[in-house]
Amino acid sequence: MTTPFPFTAVVGQDDLRLALLLNAVSPAVGGVLVRGEKGTAKSTAVRALSALLPEVSVVAGCRFSCDPAAPDPGCPDGPHEAGTGASRPSRMVELPVGASEDRLVGALDIERALAEGVKAFEPGLLADAHRGILYVDEVNLLHDHLVDLLLDAAAMGASYVEREGVSVRHASKFLLVGTMNPEEGELRPQLLDRFGLTVEVAASREPDQRVEVVRRRLAYDDDPAGFAARWADEEAAVRQRIVAARELLPSVRLGDGALRQIAATCAAFEVDGMRADIVMARTAVALAAWAGRTDVLAEDVRQAALLALPHRRRRNPFDAPGLDEDKLDETLEEFGGPDDDPDPDPGPDGPGGGGGQPDPDDAPQGDGDTAARPEAGENGQPRPSGAGEQSPVRASEPFRAKVLSVPGIGEGAAGRRSRARTEHGRTTGARRPKGALTKLHLAATVQAAAPHQRARGRSGPGLVVRRDDLRQATREGREGNLVLFVVDASGSMAARQRMSAVKGAVLSLLLDAYQRRDKVGLVTFRGSAAEVALPPTSSVDAAAARLETLPTGGRTPLAAGLLRAHEVLRVERLRDPARRALVVLVTDGRATGGPEAVALAGRAARLFAADGVASVVVDCESGPVRLGLAGQLAGELGGTAVTLDELRADSIAGLVKDVQRRAA
């Protein structure tokens, strides 16, 4: 068995360690979402937490970890008699992003259920995680149907498996911990709200701290057992402190003054619903217990707000998480009551004792994004990087877009845009299962088994069912697509009012792509070349940031932009062949670079038509004299053209519902 990296050996990351420890003290806090760049010890800290949790007492032989003091009356392995059980270490169960539904919730033996009426059930990860930790790395990449199952289990404290009239229920209460890199996409709001606390992590820019990180990691890799032994005393001290805090927790008093501050803070930051108030209250109580106190102080309320509210303030995926700490302090001071401590401590001490938001001095200082951000000039304005280039303009107010869909039926990743054959959706037929049976088509199964009943010697009322009789239901649902934006940023598009409207329209479609679980990419062209401003990604935040800082000016290398987009799609097809693409070309159709520029653009556009790529051209041409070049380009692409006015009028989706017609 691999020796985990010690929790107390993690360098820095005070907020992360504190949030995890508070959940260890009080699982009712509701779990932790850890957001941050790659390589910041997110997974290391979470995996190390399980070694600190106290052992749990379980009913011997129960696959569902029932508590012997209060066994679940509906346990599939029950009924259990209350009594003494066996102790085992707390489990940390990892949910892989690509896990199947059966792996998560468990599976019924459909053949035995139909033939014998027996509920033969193989537990899944939700059963394994009961009374432990369920850890989801890259939780933002989890498929929607798995997210739905997690939401149900988290809300009800139980997991239900329903298959063709046969149902199994078992308890499933777990500490949900997720890690994610925001560059790869955001979480659905419903799942985001289920996490009690959230922390942002970033690598330290302090050389001495980075040196210590490397030193400890190398020492651990050379001798994991020896390294863990050197930290055994610190680990034992934290474990004992968790036990003591758990015992103290019922005695902690949450006074009226602290409750007023919690309610006022949630109201001041306009969070939705009442879950934030409840989570803040539980977190403040856990903070007091962790500090060894029996009264909740103002410092506990402040720290609880910094951990529980940032992710609940987001109104759309383009909002940056975080709190205005000055506003927080003003609210706490205004609604402070007699229960408050007049001279609060900076926060709990000991392992994970630091709190608050990361120091601004620790924020990333690198230049990894400089290719997409023009260098700042005077007055903080971006400095043009080439001849004729103008400063970026702000996007106009985004609007609600209707559905843009790719014609036909695909087989891509589950989403909410185009028609596809999926594991979830309406049943359209039946087939023999290629592997494990996941969705039984009952009528087709009975129909397949019925002619063989006499030959199989059926004598009683039960149906004799064999493996060959089982039929898998085929279903039609929705898939996510790759929406590739190809944006003309040349001088002909540089009119500030027009470019602002263009950015607002693209921003609206980006928001729609987020809601429909698409991948997005951004190709821009201006001057003498085209560039991939954003490779295909699930992060609409990153796309919106690139769009906001997009400068304009120079010539119009339209053919280069189309060829670069075609190359992006070629590479992406190799990576994800099942995901279909929709190209959104935003241009006025003009092309410069010689007498053959328009013809070259037309030849490049025909490459998309030959590959069967769905496309729509947003015609940005304005003025009394219009050449209609964008419409001609749409014809070469085999797509549809809409004017910028039609796009602003929120009518694009109706016009592009079937963006490409193929010959019969």
Side-chain angles (χ1 to χ4, degrees), residues 96-237:
V97 169
S100 66
E101 179 181 337
D102 286 350
R103 185 71 187 97
L104 178 61
V105 301
L108 288 171
D109 188 332
I110 301 296
E111 187 174 354
R112 290 189 65 192
L114 287 177
E116 305 172 27
V118 176
K119 295 182 182 178
F121 181 68
E122 184 65 29
L125 295 178
L126 289 179
D128 293 341
H130 181 46
R131 303 176 67 200
I133 301 173
L134 181 62
Y135 172 48
V136 189
D137 194 13
E138 306 294 350
V139 64
N140 51 323
L141 303 182
L142 202 62
H143 289 302
D144 276 0
H145 67 284
L146 298 183
V147 170
D148 293 336
L149 294 170
L150 275 182
L151 288 173
D152 289 343
M156 297 183 293
S159 174
Y160 292 83
V161 182
E162 303 281 350
R163 294 287 170 83
E164 307 298 342
V166 181
S167 64
V168 172
R169 173 222 168 263
H170 64 82
S172 182
K173 297 180 181 179
F174 48 83
L175 171 59
L176 181 61
V177 181
T179 56
M180 60 175 283
N181 183 347
E183 294 178 356
E184 297 173 340
E186 285 294 342
L187 276 177
R188 282 173 53 183
Q190 295 92 333
L191 183 57
L192 188 64
D193 191 51
R194 281 292 172 187
F195 286 97
L197 310 180
T198 185
V199 291
E200 298 279 337
V201 296
S204 172
R205 297 303 186 256
E206 173 59 44
D208 290 342
Q209 195 172 70
R210 295 176 74 97
V211 166
E212 186 61 25
V213 170
V214 175
R215 182 182 291 119
R216 293 186 187 183
R217 186 69 212 190
L218 293 178
Y220 171 78
D221 291 341
D222 289 341
D223 182 11
F227 183 82
R230 291 195 292 274
W231 289 88
D233 291 343
E234 288 83 352
E235 293 282 285

Side-chain angles (χ1 to χ4, degrees), residues 265 269 302 306 310 313 321-331 357:
T265 300
F269 286 100
R302 185 182 194 279
L306 292 173
R313 293 192 60 247
L323 289 182
D324 182 341
E325 294 195 36
D326 291 337
K327 181 178 179 180
L328 174 60
D329 291 335
E330 291 174 4
T331 303
Q357 295 294 328

Side-chain angles (χ1 to χ4, degrees), residues 273-410:
M274 294 298 297
R275 184 173 283 121
D277 304 63
I278 296 170
V279 171
M280 270 190 67
R282 289 172 174 167
T283 305
V285 170
L287 280 162
W290 177 247
R293 290 186 267 98
T294 56
D295 286 305
V296 173
L297 306 180
E299 67 190 77
D300 301 321
V301 176
R302 185 182 194 279
Q303 182 67 72
L306 292 173
L307 293 173
L309 296 188
H311 61 302
R312 292 185 166 88
R313 293 192 60 247
R314 291 170 64 92
R315 289 296 183 268
N316 64 62
F318 309 134
D319 292 338
L323 289 182
D324 182 341
E325 294 195 36
D326 291 337
K327 181 178 179 180
L328 174 60
D329 291 335
E330 291 174 4
T331 303
L332 293 176
E333 183 176 356
E334 179 182 355
F335 289 90
D339 301 308
D340 297 331
D341 182 20
D343 185 20
D345 266 347
D349 55 6
Q357 295 294 328
D359 192 320
D361 293 336
D362 289 340
Q365 303 288 330
D367 58 356
D369 249 352
T370 52
R373 291 196 301 269
E375 184 181 354
E378 296 181 5
N379 301 321
Q381 294 299 319
R383 181 180 297 145
S385 59
E389 189 171 289
Q390 301 180 17
S391 299
V393 298
R394 296 187 64 84
S396 63
E397 188 69 22
F399 54 86
R400 183 176 179 82
K402 298 178 183 177
V403 181
L404 292 79
S405 60
V406 178
I409 300 179

